[in-house]
Amino acid sequence: MSAVFELLGDHPFFYGMSEEHLQLVVDCASPVDFEQGETIFHEGRAADACFLILEGDIALEIDPPGKGKHVIQTLHNGDILGWSWLFPPYRWTFDAQALSETRAIRFDASALRAAKEADPAFGYDLLTRFTEVLVRRMQAAR
């Protein structure tokens, strides 16, 4: 087993996922680093990934016209970043910016979408897990 497989298997978000499904996730994973102040994604642009934050802090922001940017939630170590890749038209709903140097695991959205289409049980499992993230983000935005 790889270190990424073990890391994800022990993480609360992925805990209890079958080894077969977890391997599908691992196959889509790559490490990524962000510098403090770096924009990770912008609202409205193509949602091509999601992330597991290993170290660091990321601000989710909205930019209502005429009101300036507003942080709706700050994500930390262990949090999942990004759910917009799951739903057409696959566009980011918020901006995301690194508040500190950040290490993360990036999951390729195209590969995850292909895997969930090929294996409906995997797709259901993934959707169930990401729905929790979606609900928390919507509550934070409110």
Side-chain angles (χ1 to χ4, degrees), residues 30-139:
S30 60
V32 65
D33 296 315
F34 301 104
E35 297 295 321
Q36 181 177 358
E38 185 176 348
T39 298
I40 299 165
F41 53 76
H42 286 287
E43 179 182 354
R45 295 201 182 152
D48 60 353
C50 62
F51 305 87
L52 170 61
I53 303 167
L54 300 176
E55 290 179 16
D57 304 295
I58 296 175
L60 290 177
E61 304 169 327
I62 57 173
D63 192 3
K67 296 191 178 191
K69 287 195 176 202
H70 177 71
V71 175
I72 60 162
Q73 189 174 20
T74 302
L75 305 179
H76 309 283
N77 305 356
D79 285 336
I80 297 290
L81 170 64
W83 51 263
S84 299
W85 65 273
L86 269 169
F87 306 104
Y90 310 117
R91 299 277 177 212
W92 293 117
T93 307
F94 307 112
D95 292 345
Q97 183 179 66
L99 298 176
S100 61
E101 288 187 18
T102 301
R103 284 186 334 112
I105 296 176
R106 180 187 187 277
F107 303 97
D108 180 77
S110 294
L112 282 174
R113 282 194 298 267
K116 77 179 187 61
E117 293 300 319
D119 182 343
F122 172 65
Y124 178 79
D125 188 7
L126 207 56
L127 187 60
T128 300
R129 293 166 191 272
F130 271 93
T131 299
E132 262 187 59
V133 173
L134 173 68
V135 168
R136 286 195 308 266
R137 297 291 142 71
M138 292 292 104
Q139 288 171 339

